[in-house]
Amino acid sequence: MTARDGRNRPTEGNWTRRGVLAGLLGAPVLLIAACNDTKSSGTTGTGTGAGAVGGATEGASATGSASSSPKTSVARITVVPADNTVNASFVEPVKVTVASGTLTSVVLADSTGRPVAGQLAADGTGWTSTGTLTSGTKYTVAVTAVDGDKLEADANTGFTTTTPANTFVGYFTPENGSVVGVGMPVSINFNKPITDREAVQRAITVIAQPGVEIVGHWFSSTRLDFRPEDYWAAGTKVTLKLRLKDVEGAKGYYGTQSKDVRFTVGRSQTSVVDLAAKTLTVTTDGQVSASYPISGGSPEHKTWGGKMVISEQFQQTKMDSTTVGLGDEYNIPDVPHAQRLTTSGTFIHGNYWSPAAIFGSANTSHGCVGLQDAKGGEDPSTNGYKFYKSSMVGDVVEVVNSGDKTVEPSNGLNGWNMTWAAWKAGSAL
């Protein structure tokens, strides 16, 4: 559990010195941090005496006549990291020990007063932090101990944790505040290969309202996707919780992100492209809402089958065959109403350059799915325009009767082509 969880917060105020001492002698006690704004000036990593570090003070209890010298506690406190340490480790615990005495209070907190939990040794002479430290953060440690004569010694120290030199981040989709279709997974691409997949996946959670089981699947060392077993229900509110800061994803590489990302699932819309019938049938909220004649991949360039999620939308874009390994077969600078289905270049888009007669009657493309459209994409009466306007990122387009293999689940946001058992098998947890 991290410091921010605030578990085991102390009750108001520090322990009473006699009461806590009696408790320490009887059984192990969990000592945790508490908000404390005081810190003696000029402190070091060790302390002795009452109310000061490194020497005696007039505040110690005195015995004998008024002319007697006040007694000083013989308890000596050591704090690691030492006072004023910079670049202290944020992965190593803070340790407090006392010689010739017993600890009665240990307060470890960051600059905002947020406590860090810790555990007292059974004999009361040592304390070790159990909560997580944060990189690049200032901390204070306030310690009180008593010796055998119940005379107090105090230590007040501070240190700053280091900022890691090597870091990684996860680039996520969808964006915060977006509204998406029912097939939209949460997809995270890391800028460094992750070797400790379990640690990273534990630091990422996806929750939904209404609730549903959501499982992560690693497609590679740099990509982790999350989805439920079936498409999201319309109106679902989803929250991605990234808690990657200071998580060691690979040796010497630490995460930097700690944030929440929220998105909403819009209306339910899925479409089926039947390449035998050469039709596109759209179903919205359970009812068939449109049917369009289309032209798919030719026998030489078949369209992949399977469920494909719209990942990007372009009012107009350039398509060049050289970018997909097809030489100079085409170069169209103004393809209207293009919606990406795979990373490798499969789109469903408008087509103004082919004869109107091919739509619904012949598959002639290089693998994309085309609907009749107008040059410039400004004619609202065309099928390309209508389908584009009815669609959103995250909608599912399923291609059937393609005559080709099913698209690879990792090619785009297309993990829906895996069984639930296969998907769960790719989790690190």
Side-chain angles (χ1 to χ4, degrees):
M1 182 172 289
T2 65
R4 64 179 63 90
D5 292 327
R7 66 176 182 184
N8 300 325
R9 289 183 179 270
T11 56
E12 183 175 354
N14 289 330
W15 311 313
T16 61
R17 294 167 184 168
R18 291 185 180 177
V20 172
L21 178 59
L24 291 174
L25 294 176
V29 179
L30 175 65
L31 301 185
I32 65 170
C35 298
N36 192 326
D37 296 329
T38 61
K39 178 181 177 184
S40 300
S41 60
T43 58
T44 65
T46 61
T48 184
V53 176
T57 72
E58 297 300 323
S61 299
T63 60
S65 66
S67 61
S68 299
S69 298
K71 288 188 176 182
T72 303
S73 177
V74 298
R76 298 187 61 82
I77 300 166
T78 301
V79 178
V80 179
D83 192 29
N84 296 321
T85 297
V86 293
N87 295 325
S89 172
F90 59 87
V91 297
E92 297 294 330
V94 175
K95 294 186 177 181
V96 180
T97 57
V98 61
S100 302
T102 305
L103 295 170
T104 57
S105 175
V106 178
V107 176
L108 171 61
D110 65 17
S111 57
T112 68
R114 185 164 50 187
V116 181
Q119 178 68 53
L120 181 70
D123 62 2
T125 63
W127 181 94
T128 303
S129 64
T130 56
T132 303
L133 301 180
T134 303
S135 63
T137 302
K138 293 181 179 180
Y139 289 91
T140 58
V141 188
V143 186
T144 303
V146 294
D147 64 10
D149 294 327
K150 297 183 174 54
L151 297 177
E152 277 193 357
D154 302 307
N156 293 277
T157 69
F159 64 90
T160 302
T161 53
T162 188
T163 299
N166 300 314
T167 60
F168 71 89
V169 296
Y171 300 102
F172 54 84
T173 189
E175 294 297 322
N176 187 48
S178 58
V179 178
V180 300
V182 297
M184 189 69 184
V186 173
S187 185
I188 304 169
N189 288 272
F190 301 100
N191 66 336
K192 300 290 182 182
I194 301 300
T195 56
D196 193 341
R197 297 186 184 186
E198 180 178 354
V200 169
Q201 190 173 338
R202 286 194 185 281
I204 302 172
T205 55
V206 182
I207 58 175
Q209 184 61 40
V212 63
E213 182 184 13
I214 302 167
V215 176
H217 179 94
W218 290 88
F219 283 113
S220 70
S221 62
T222 58
R223 179 177 170 187
L224 172 63
D225 284 17
F226 290 83
R227 72 166 176 89
E229 182 174 4
D230 300 310
Y231 300 149
W232 305 104
T236 299
K237 297 184 182 300
V238 184
T239 301
L240 163 65
K241 293 179 176 289
L242 291 169
R243 297 296 182 266
L244 292 170
K245 184 171 176 60
D246 299 337
V247 173
E248 190 173 21
K251 187 173 179 57
Y253 283 83
Y254 296 87
T256 64
Q257 296 159 295
S258 182
K259 66 185 302 181
D260 289 349
V261 178
R262 296 179 175 86
F263 63 92
T264 302
V265 179
R267 82 288 177 270
S268 174
Q269 180 165 297
T270 59
S271 301
V272 175
V273 172
D274 186 335
L275 291 180
K278 302 171 186 63
T279 58
L280 167 64
T281 303
V282 183
T283 300
T284 307
D285 293 328
Q287 301 294 321
V288 174
S289 55
S291 182
Y292 305 109
I294 56 91
S295 179
S298 68
E300 296 78 23
H301 303 286
K302 295 177 181 177
T303 304
W304 281 314
K307 300 170 183 177
M308 296 177 240
V309 175
I310 296 174
S311 58
E312 291 182 287
Q313 294 179 301
F314 304 94
Q315 182 75 27
Q316 188 168 276
T317 191
K318 178 179 180 179
M319 290 189 177
D320 183 349
S321 59
T322 61
T323 65
V324 291
L326 293 177
D328 59 356
E329 293 197 22
Y330 60 86
N331 188 346
I332 306 170
D334 56 355
V335 177
H337 301 130
Q339 303 186 81
R340 182 183 291 277
L341 300 179
T342 69
T343 304
S344 61
T346 305
F347 284 79
I348 184 166
H349 60 77
N351 179 334
Y352 67 81
W353 54 89
S354 295
I358 70 164
F359 298 102
S361 64
N363 291 320
T364 62
S365 80
H366 289 81
C368 291
V369 176
L371 298 91
Q372 187 177 12
D373 212 325
K375 186 177 176 63
E378 298 295 333
D379 186 349
S381 68
T382 63
N383 292 334
Y385 183 103
K386 292 175 183 177
F387 180 68
Y388 181 88
K389 289 298 183 181
S390 74
S391 300
M392 66 172 58
V393 169
D395 285 350
V396 180
V397 177
E398 182 176 6
V399 177
V400 299
N401 297 321
S402 74
D404 202 357
K405 65 179 182 180
T406 300
V407 65
E408 288 294 327
S410 60
N411 190 358
L413 304 176
N414 299 326
W416 300 106
N417 294 288
M418 302 179 69
T419 66
W420 186 231
W423 180 268
K424 294 175 75 171
S427 172
L429 302 182

